[in-house]
Amino acid sequence: MTTSHVPALRRIPAAARSAAEIPALPFTPIPRPDLYAAADSMSGTGHVLLLRAPAGTGKSVLAADWAARHAAGGSDVAWLTVTEQLDDAASLWTVLHERFEIATTTGACPPAAYAAALVETLAARTTPTILVLDDAHLLTDPLLLAGIEYFLHHAPPTVTTMLCARSAPPIRWHVLELHARLTRWGAGELAFTADEIDALCRHHGCELTGAELDALGALTRGWAALVRIAAIHLAAGSDDRAAALAVLARPARAVTDFLLGELVEVLPPTLRRFLTCTSIPVAFTEHLADELVGGGAGHSLHELDLIGFPIDSVVRDGDVWFSCHPLVRAYFLAEARRLGPHVCAELHRRSARWLRTAGLPETALPHQLASADHEQLCEFLSACALRMVLDGTGRTLFDHLARSAPALLDDPFLWLVRVVDALVAGSAAAAVACLDTAAARRAAKASFADAQRLDALTLAATIDVAATTGAMLPESPEDVAPTGDPDLDAYTEIQIATAFVAGGAVTRGEQLLHSGLALAEHAGRPRLVLRALTRLAFAADAVDAATAMRDRAARALAIAEEHGLLETTDAVQATAVAAYGAYLQGETPGAAQIASVLTERVDHDGSHGPVAGWRAHVVGRLLDLERAEEQSAAVDALRRSLLVLLEHKAVPAATGSLILPVVWALLRVHDARTAQLLVERARGIVGELPEVRLADAALHTAADRRKATCAVLEPLLDRAGELRPVSAVTGWLLYSAAQHESRAPAKALAALENALGSATPHRLLRPFLDVPAAMPLLDSYAGRLGRAESFAESIRRHPAARRRPAYPALTHTEMTVLKQLPSGRTAQQIAEDLGVSVNTVKTHLRGIYGKLGTNSRVDALHHARRGGLL
């Protein structure tokens, strides 16, 4: 049995007693102030500190350094290193009684009597006392253990007891814990920090970079002896630190010798076989271990825990996963390879099969590749490759294949999977290129996947690429037969549904989305659940169902937050839909929400664009406008964003719904000319959409052309049921205003009632906040709106329902001069910039002052900003 080389306790003169009994260290220990402070906090309570960790983890060094510090401060320190000779009640208690000058009892004596005598003696002392029992795992004598247990339970408050052991002696530790008198420190608490590893390496003349320190920390996990061995190895090695670290991880001979001498040689054959088989996976559960060793894993784990073997455990998704220290695993992995390639391949096959069944394809893939079974690998990829990509581990998949099976990367099915991976990563250009390559490869070679899978994934990926890039989607894509693969079937249904929604078949699209959502939820695929909910929010957006938009988007974001997916494209799109739904209902989203919607990314090719797409970017600019202090600049940014969306030739209906808000924003800053140009540009791209015609009506209204307004609106309102709700509300409001100005109150009231009727189901307040005449109309007809009166009153009381000053419209030239005023330039300087006479500028200034009801530049600027002109 291995024992410590620290000397046993011996009699010394009283004057030098404490310092002499603490073992002298052959080196200067690394200071550990945090651990010292934690141990200090236990003093004065009769506390017990159990240091239970493998050999070389620094138990004795820590105890000796801490005890020496206390001895220097006046504490009485007694240090006893247990040996096989002291594993006897009479021998150990005799030594302790001599140390504290207790008269030795002759003849047999109950164990508790020895302990009670020591307790009584220490209780009569006022000097703080520290008792250290090193190598306490060697305590096995039942009578001796009974006495020590009695002492630990009854030690007076002035005594602190520290036991250092590789495994805990068989004492009823739980009783001490129940009385809050026990603290346990294991290898985790004793592990060196990064700074301590750095200090130890420097002590050995080895200065490492931050990355090298991280690598060494991960390799040794702060195990003191291994860090010291590594520092010596690296200091003596070549300048190629990466190679030296790689040699160390094999592990190096010095590490192997240490592990053999301190850990492995004392293990029985059954435990050595268990550790050899379970070294194949990085981590394992009890059930996986049973699969690898043929049963009995629970008993082996219990035995290893009793002897304090360095195996960590962590709970993940309800299962306890075990993992050996990296260097210990490396040792046993080398042992497994010595069993021969066939045995190793079989262990990898068992690992892959179990991990795949457990729903961990990413973890199973390396084992599937190592099993060297091509047929099983192809079956695995056919069933699991898409899932890995949708789980966000596509890079891992393709990196492993590139290293171990590069020929498979040219398979048509994997090119289609690459398309989805590029879309998950947000690289539309790469997705388009992969889709083209997939089509070419399918025409040229056979795939390991069957034709049904290829057809389904081709259709789904094609729709996904089109939806991402803004290309035209098939209006009525053909349904494909289910493949039986929940990932592929759910992904396909979601994409087909997206095409239906984009084509206007919202009801059919929602049916498919709910079906895809059910499949994704049943299969436990959070990314697909998130996508289905986000697309359901889009479906509600297509019909201006603001409440449903917000509810569905909120569900999507809850899933995203639960599974750490808040930065994915789908989550950002859900944020945009939720924010737009709030906007339609007259609410202003928070700054963080707007910033998320406006987030941009840079692709691998250097191009950049919004994470959520250009439509969401326009929505973000629209929301940002509500909070902007400089309205003109924010409106211009909104206009430019819409132009980019138009140039992308996205789905016309989705684009058209944003034309009106931008036109209203331009009219608020009295830039009717730019608004007119924008409408004409939109007409040339998306055609005569109802929203484009409504934008014409808004421009006519701003120019006070009532007859032209009605001429545009009447054909649209004759089929108002075909309009989107926001468009219908806007059309009825514009028509009501025109009739009201034409002194036709009956028609005005009927139109206003229609507007309220279209707005009420989804509480669409936004058109009433955008159309300038909406608030005066609600004021004029208050009390005559019947069942819509309550909703109308809530609009009139809305905080944003302010009645803007009704300034006469400024001419284009007056607006040009007005925009020069904030610069502080004189009339002469403005005239020179515009290429006109100073008298012309002064004439325009008088016109501006008169229309704004002011008589100075300062007042004019104040009124212009308040009225939205600047």
Side-chain angles (χ1 to χ4, degrees), residues 86 88 92 127 144 191 260 315 346 361 410 416 504 508 518 547 573 619 623-624 708 735 794 847 862 865:
L86 289 178
D88 172 78
L92 186 140
T127 304
L144 175 57
L260 270 172
V315 177
E346 177 59 26
D410 201 38
L416 288 169
R508 174 59 177 154
T547 301
Q573 288 177 339
V619 170
L623 302 174
D624 196 40
Y735 190 72
S794 69
H862 173 71
R865 290 191 175 105

Side-chain angles (χ1 to χ4, degrees), residues 50 52 135-140 145 148 163-165 167-173:
L50 173 63
R52 173 182 178 266
D135 283 348
H137 54 278
L138 298 178
L139 297 171
T140 61
L145 289 169
I148 290 177
L163 291 91
C164 305
S167 57
I171 290 173
R172 293 179 300 167
W173 299 106

Side-chain angles (χ1 to χ4, degrees), residues 486-694:
D487 300 289
L488 181 54
D489 291 342
Y491 176 66
T492 302
E493 286 204 355
I494 291 168
Q495 297 312 132
I496 292 175
T498 300
F500 275 113
V501 171
V506 177
T507 302
R508 174 59 177 154
E510 286 187 327
Q511 291 173 346
L512 286 173
L513 283 171
H514 282 295
S515 175
L517 174 62
L519 278 172
E521 288 178 331
H522 180 72
R525 306 292 187 265
R527 284 180 181 263
L528 285 176
V529 171
L530 170 60
R531 173 159 295 192
L533 288 170
T534 300
R535 298 297 168 85
L536 278 167
F538 283 160
D541 184 8
V543 292
D544 294 336
T547 301
M549 289 165 61
R550 300 178 71 176
D551 290 345
R552 293 171 178 180
R555 286 181 60 196
L557 291 172
I559 292 293
E561 183 174 14
E562 180 182 353
H563 296 280
L565 302 173
L566 285 174
E567 295 184 1
T568 62
T569 297
D570 289 315
V572 179
Q573 288 177 339
T575 302
V577 175
Y580 189 52
Y583 172 81
L584 291 179
Q585 293 186 330
E587 299 177 23
T588 303
Q593 200 173 18
I594 296 171
S596 174
V597 174
L598 292 173
T599 302
E600 296 193 7
R601 71 155 53 95
V602 179
D603 285 344
H604 300 299
D605 59 2
S607 61
H608 63 89
V611 171
W614 279 105
R615 185 180 188 278
H617 194 264
V618 176
V619 170
R621 290 293 181 198
L622 189 61
L623 302 174
D624 196 40
L625 176 64
E626 296 295 301
R627 306 168 61 88
E629 294 182 3
E630 291 293 334
Q631 288 283 296
S632 294
V635 169
D636 190 55
L638 172 62
R639 177 189 63 81
R640 286 186 278 107
S641 183
L642 178 63
L643 285 173
V644 174
L645 175 63
L646 290 169
E647 295 297 337
H648 274 71
K649 295 182 173 57
V651 178
T655 303
S657 65
L658 296 175
I659 294 173
L660 264 173
V662 180
V663 168
W664 287 126
L666 287 164
L667 291 176
R668 279 201 297 274
V669 297
H670 299 271
D671 198 351
R673 182 182 178 184
T674 302
Q676 180 67 57
L677 293 172
L678 178 67
V679 171
E680 292 305 321
R681 180 62 181 153
R683 179 178 281 109
I685 295 175
V686 300
E688 289 290 343
L689 288 177
E691 287 76 18
V692 174
R693 300 295 295 149
L694 285 169

